């Protein structure tokens, strides 16, 4: 279908009775652009047999060609267009000439939606629901298998495609909203036409089209519209570091240095190298130029044409789908100077758009390098203010496991001085790359509630992984932890969306997390309140979230014994309050000299 649509865009002119040559253009990317963008410059990639021998020209008011760039591959042309602020929407005829042979390609310039550059704010009370689309819900069984795509649906294979799709997500927007979410992030949905293991979405074979086993670009756009009409924001997962080995350009690369040489081997997977002032060139090159996986060619941002292509592809999706935010995969694996430039250009086009980047490190200092405002030795300023907070995640597990020590939680938060904006870090209970935290916390509901309460009340923007609200418990292998959402497939005996046949454990987890998520998104103290914590005693961690409108006291007792907490220690905060409301059960009581708390129990108190 996609090829037919492209073919319809070509108009051939017969000039002086000359016979037009066969169609040579196979792809033009981006497929369209918009008038009124803040950056008037656009570089379009034109691909087709022998197109490099042609000379393009434009005759359209407000649009001119600044430069034509040819590579060593005669099947590519890169055309730098300048689109003035007074240009009009329409089809720009690009005339390609080679001697007496000519052809015209009509390039669409669209009108932007009103306030397309205005993006909503993300703050501490946001709850972002993360979904692996293939494993959430099969809303359209007609696209389970698609001709030309060899990775067929097979739910019995843990790394196979299970049939979840965009329609399945659309069918359950009400569930996502009622759960207490404010935003949705999908793992990548762009085409992954590999022979196998394509369900995860990170081996992209076409950066401009949704994989047909999920739906199409128009359905993706409809999902965005439905989310917005329900008051939910939409985040797209962007992959810069690599593409899939089946990407369409891999059979005919635009330039020899478009990708890094596989002879570099695989990455050393040490994100700390990028910020290490003592790192060798050898190790740095292995980190940045090594392959994430042998079936995922590593993109080389020393090539300016590729860099521009990837920057524009991000802008195209934001504009096309009216996206509210971006999550960037494997951030420290790509060239950091390219990443800085990308961030600057995105900010110019969409001031304030939310960007969170994956920085998978255990240590706060390594993580803070990417959220630092250039305060470290090399003065590198990424322009990033939100990173995936893996240090907090790992310390949460250490703090709230059965024999854990809450000092781990205290110490990791105490290192926030290293960040420029720690309140924007993305905190998470688990995600698509790690074992379910219910398993990591010993399959114990009390430990689960302690970990959930900490994650949902500490500083930061929240990301919640689908299914953890019912205490999904898989822990071994990506294909397993990305398990099917019960109720997402016809014939499922358990249906979380209808709350049918849930176990007692699933029901307890769902009620607890849903209640706390819905409370959290409406809490001023969680949204922008200052975090003040106190040195733990007897494996009990006490901290406050303090805003002008609201003050919250959180008590997390990971000890087995009941405790009596003397309140004079907290007088600097409590002195102006007389009443306490337990957020989790609604009970109110007067403040006295102490609090009696149960072992292995989480408390959230609103002070009045």
């Amino acid at each position: 279908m996609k090829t037919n649509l492209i073919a319809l865009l070509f108009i051939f002119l017969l000039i002086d009775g000359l016979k037009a040559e066969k169609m040579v253009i196979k792809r033009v990317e981006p497929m369209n652009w918009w008038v009124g963008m803040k950056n008037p410059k656009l570089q379009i990639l034109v691909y087709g047999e022998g197109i490099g021998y042609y000379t393009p020209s434009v005759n359209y008011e407000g649009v001119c060609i600044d430069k034509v760039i040819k590579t060593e591959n005669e099947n590519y042309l890169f055309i730098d267009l300048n689109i003035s602020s007074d240009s009009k929407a329409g089809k720009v005829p690009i005339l390609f000439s080679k001697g007496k042979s000519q052809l015209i390609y009509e390039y669409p310039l669209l009108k932007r939606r009103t306030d397309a550059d205005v993006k909503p704010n993300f703050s501490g009370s946001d709850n972002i629901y993360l979904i692996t689309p293939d494993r959430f819900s099969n809303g359209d069984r007609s696209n389970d298998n698609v001709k030309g795509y060899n990775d067929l649906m097979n739910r019995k294979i843990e790394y196979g495609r299970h049939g979840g799709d965009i329609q399945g997500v659309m069918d359950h927007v009400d569930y996502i909203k009622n759960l207490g979410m404010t935003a949705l992030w999908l793992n990548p949905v762009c085409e992954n036409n590999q022979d196998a293991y394509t369900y995860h979405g990170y081996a992209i074979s076409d950066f401009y089209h949704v994989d047909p086993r999920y739906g199409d670009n128009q359905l993706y756009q409809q999902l965005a519209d439905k989310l917005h009409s329900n008051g939910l924001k939409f985040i797209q997962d962007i992959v810069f570091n690599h593409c899939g080995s089946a990407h369409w350009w891999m059979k005919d690369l635009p330039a020899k240095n478009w990708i890094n040489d596989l002879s570099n081997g695989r990455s050393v997977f040490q994100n700390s190298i990028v910020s290490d002032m003592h790192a060798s060139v050898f190790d740095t090159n292995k980190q940045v130029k090594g392959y994430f996986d042998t079936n995922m060619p590593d993109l080389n941002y020393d090539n300016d044409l590729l860099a521009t292509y990837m920057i524009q592809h991000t802008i195209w999706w934001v504009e096309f789908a009216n996206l509210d935010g971006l999550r960037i995969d494997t951030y420290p694996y790509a060239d950091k100077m390219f990443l800085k430039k990308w961030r600057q250009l995105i900010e110019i086009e969409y001031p304030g758009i939310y960007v969170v980047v994956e920085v998978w490190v255990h240590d706060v200092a390594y993580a803070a390098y990417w959220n630092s405002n250039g305060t470290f030795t090399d003065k590198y300023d990424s322009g990033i203010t939100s990173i995936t907070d893996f240090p907090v995640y790992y310390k949460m597990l250490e703090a709230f496991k059965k024999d854990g020590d809450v000092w781990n939680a205290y110490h990791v938060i105490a290192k926030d001085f290293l960040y420029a904006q720690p309140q924007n870090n993305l905190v998470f209970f688990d995600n698509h790359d790690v074992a379910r935290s219910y398993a990591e916390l010993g399959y114990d509901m009390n430990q689960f509630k302690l970990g959930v309460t900490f994650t949902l009340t500490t500083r930061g923007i929240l990301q919640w992984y689908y299914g953890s609200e019912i205490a999904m418990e898989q822990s071994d292998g990506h294909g397993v932890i990305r398990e099917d959402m019960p109720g997402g497939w016809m014939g499922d005996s358990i249906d979380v969306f209808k709350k049918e046949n849930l176990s007692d454990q699933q029901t307890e987890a769902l009620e607890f997390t849903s209640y706390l998520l819905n409370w959290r998104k409406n809490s001023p103290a969680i949204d922008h309140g200052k975090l003040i914590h106190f040195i733990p005693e007897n494996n009990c961690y006490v901290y406050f979230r303090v805003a002008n409108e609201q003050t919250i006291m959180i008590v997390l007792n990971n000890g087995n014994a009941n405790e009596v907490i003397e309140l004079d220690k907290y007088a600097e905060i409590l002195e102006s309050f007389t009443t306490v409301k337990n957020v989790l059960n609604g009970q109110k009581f007067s403040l006295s000299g102490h609090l009696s708390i149960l072992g292995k129990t989480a408390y959230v108190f609103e002070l009045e």
Side-chain angles (χ1 to χ4, degrees):
M1 175 178 282
K2 186 165 58 181
T3 302
N4 292 335
L5 290 174
I6 293 174
L8 291 175
L9 295 174
F10 291 95
I11 300 177
F12 288 86
L13 298 181
L14 295 178
I15 299 178
D16 296 330
L18 293 174
K19 185 178 181 181
E21 290 193 354
K22 66 177 182 179
M23 186 186 302
V24 297
I25 299 177
K26 296 180 179 179
R27 285 180 179 266
V28 175
E29 295 179 342
M31 297 94 70
N32 68 271
W33 207 246
W34 293 265
V35 296
M37 303 296 280
K38 295 178 182 178
N39 183 358
K41 297 183 181 300
L42 170 67
Q43 184 177 95
I44 60 174
L45 175 157
V46 184
Y47 175 65
E49 184 178 349
I51 193 64
Y53 297 118
Y54 282 74
T55 300
S57 61
V58 167
N59 184 12
Y60 189 89
E61 187 175 356
V63 179
C64 64
I65 294 178
D66 282 345
K67 187 178 182 181
V68 177
I69 304 167
K70 300 182 179 182
T71 69
E72 65 264 28
N73 188 337
E74 67 275 7
N75 295 332
Y76 287 86
L77 272 182
F78 292 84
I79 306 172
D80 286 352
L81 296 179
N82 193 306
I83 305 169
S84 69
S85 59
D86 58 355
S87 59
K88 305 298 182 183
K91 294 182 178 180
V92 179
I94 304 176
L95 176 65
F96 293 87
S97 302
K98 186 181 73 169
K100 294 183 178 181
S101 299
Q102 296 182 330
L103 61 90
I104 288 180
Y105 180 88
E106 292 189 333
Y107 188 78
L109 271 185
L110 308 181
K111 183 180 179 181
R112 298 185 78 184
R113 63 175 60 86
T114 303
D115 297 327
D117 60 335
V118 178
K119 298 301 176 184
N121 182 46
F122 278 73
S123 62
S125 58
D126 270 301
N127 303 326
I128 302 169
Y129 200 54
L130 168 59
I131 290 176
T132 301
D134 181 64
R135 304 302 173 86
F136 187 69
S137 176
N138 188 352
D140 182 2
R141 288 184 291 166
S142 70
N143 63 13
D144 289 348
N145 296 305
V146 176
K147 185 178 180 180
Y149 292 78
N150 294 330
D151 194 6
L152 304 180
M153 177 182 171
N154 188 340
R155 290 184 72 190
K156 296 180 180 179
I157 302 175
E158 63 185 59
Y159 286 101
R161 280 194 171 262
H162 290 191
D165 49 34
I166 293 173
Q167 186 60 55
V169 177
M170 292 181 68
D171 291 344
H172 299 298
V173 167
D174 55 343
Y175 171 84
I176 296 168
K177 182 178 181 179
N178 293 335
L179 187 61
M181 299 302 158
T182 65
L184 174 67
W185 155 25
L186 299 180
N187 288 144
V189 296
C190 284
E191 181 190 88
N192 274 230
N193 196 11
Q194 308 284 111
D195 286 337
Y197 307 135
T198 65
Y199 77 97
H200 53 74
Y202 288 96
I204 293 174
S205 55
D206 187 328
F207 282 103
Y208 279 98
H209 288 91
V210 167
D211 193 296
R213 290 162 293 186
Y214 291 139
D216 58 24
N217 286 15
Q218 286 64 44
L219 190 63
Y220 186 75
Q221 198 174 52
Q222 291 170 28
L223 170 61
D225 292 342
K226 185 168 185 177
L227 291 169
H228 291 149
S229 67
N230 279 273
L232 298 171
K233 292 171 273 195
F234 195 20
I235 296 171
Q236 180 164 323
D237 206 332
I238 300 289
V239 185
F240 280 137
N241 180 65
H242 49 263
C243 65
S245 57
H247 193 284
W248 66 265
W249 63 40
M250 289 304 299
K251 293 181 180 179
D252 192 22
L253 287 172
K256 293 177 182 178
N257 68 342
W258 195 259
I259 62 171
N260 289 309
D261 197 321
L262 185 55
S263 64
N264 291 319
R266 294 192 66 182
S267 171
V268 289
F269 301 103
Q270 292 294 326
N271 290 336
S272 59
I273 287 174
V274 184
S275 55
D276 183 358
M277 63 186 293
H278 307 294
S280 66
V281 173
F282 177 85
D283 287 343
T284 302
N285 284 338
K286 287 285 286 184
Q287 171 66 18
V288 176
K289 297 183 180 296
Y291 278 42
F292 195 83
D293 195 284
T294 54
N295 69 345
M296 295 180 181
D298 198 75
L299 300 178
N300 178 23
Y301 290 103
D302 292 337
N303 186 305
D304 291 336
L305 297 173
L306 172 64
T308 299
Y309 178 97
M310 296 302 288
I311 291 168
Q312 289 180 167
H313 121 272
T314 309
I315 294 172
W316 188 90
W317 278 110
V318 174
E319 195 72 21
F320 173 79
N322 196 18
L323 299 174
D324 305 298
L326 302 165
R327 180 265 183 183
I328 314 302
D329 181 61
T330 53
Y331 203 68
Y333 289 85
D335 179 82
K336 69 180 182 181
M337 299 313 296
F338 158 75
L339 296 171
K340 180 177 181 178
K341 178 182 179 181
W342 168 84
R343 184 67 187 96
Q344 291 170 338
L345 293 176
I346 294 297
E347 183 65 22
I348 289 172
E349 208 64 64
Y350 305 101
I353 188 172
Y354 178 63
V355 175
V356 58
V357 305
E358 181 191 32
V359 180
W360 195 338
V361 292
H362 288 65
D363 190 275
V364 171
Y366 299 139
Y369 180 77
W370 302 98
N371 179 1
S372 67
N373 286 352
T375 54
F376 289 103
T377 305
D378 66 357
K379 305 300 180 184
Y380 176 75
D381 182 359
S382 68
I384 296 298
T385 60
S386 184
I387 65 169
T388 50
D389 206 326
F390 277 92
V392 163
Y393 159 75
Y394 283 115
K395 292 303 180 183
M396 178 274 294
L397 295 180
E398 292 182 31
F400 300 109
K401 60 186 179 181
K402 287 186 178 181
D403 299 319
D405 191 334
V406 297
W407 272 97
N408 287 288
Y410 174 87
H411 278 307
V412 73
I413 297 299
K415 295 178 181 179
D416 272 357
F417 68 91
L418 292 170
Y419 295 109
Q421 299 187 52
Q423 73 278 7
N424 288 340
N425 281 1
L426 194 73
V427 294
F428 54 95
F429 187 61
D430 44 28
N431 67 21
H432 61 294
D433 283 325
V434 297
R436 297 281 181 167
S437 285
Y438 181 66
E440 296 280 37
L441 294 173
Y443 305 99
D444 185 290
M445 188 55 61
N446 289 330
Q447 308 298 152
F448 173 85
K449 290 180 178 179
L450 284 164
V452 168
T453 304
F454 169 74
T455 306
L456 270 60
T457 58
T458 191
R459 87 307 180 259
I461 298 167
L462 177 73
Q463 171 256 296
W464 188 264
Y465 191 39
Y466 82 96
S468 289
E469 63 269 19
I470 55 171
M472 279 188 171
E473 57 187 35
Q474 296 297 332
S475 63
D476 186 18
H478 283 171
V480 175
I481 61 176
R482 301 162 184 171
E483 55 193 300
D484 294 349
M485 189 71 157
W489 280 256
M490 183 175 291
D492 284 357
S493 59
I494 299 173
D495 191 336
V496 65
F497 304 116
K498 297 179 181 178
K499 298 183 181 179
E500 293 180 350
N501 299 323
L502 296 178
S503 68
D504 291 344
Q505 170 189 295
Q506 290 172 324
T507 300
E508 183 178 0
L510 180 60
E511 290 178 351
F512 181 83
T513 54
S514 179
Y515 184 86
L516 201 54
L517 285 162
N518 277 284
W519 167 83
R520 183 187 191 279
K521 72 178 184 180
N522 295 307
S523 168
I526 296 299
D527 181 71
H528 54 268
K530 182 179 181 181
L531 191 152
I532 302 172
H533 63 175
F534 291 78
I535 292 175
E537 294 181 348
N538 300 323
N539 213 3
C540 185
Y541 183 30
V542 177
Y543 56 97
F544 295 80
R545 302 297 306 276
V546 180
N548 289 334
E549 311 95 313
Q550 184 187 47
T551 297
I552 301 296
M553 179 182 185
I554 300 96
V555 181
L556 304 174
N557 183 10
N558 194 38
N560 291 309
N562 299 341
E563 295 288 342
V564 175
I565 297 178
E566 300 299 332
L567 297 181
D568 56 349
K569 177 177 178 179
Y570 314 105
E572 63 190 81
I573 300 174
L574 296 177
E575 59 186 0
S576 59
F577 299 99
T578 59
T579 307
V580 171
K581 176 185 175 182
N582 188 330
V583 170
L584 297 176
N585 60 23
Q587 293 180 353
K588 287 188 176 182
F589 55 92
S590 297
L591 272 175
S592 58
H594 63 270
L595 278 177
S596 296
I597 61 171
L598 301 175
K600 297 293 182 182
T601 305
Y603 296 87
V604 181
F605 297 120
E606 185 171 355
L607 304 179
E608 300 174 350

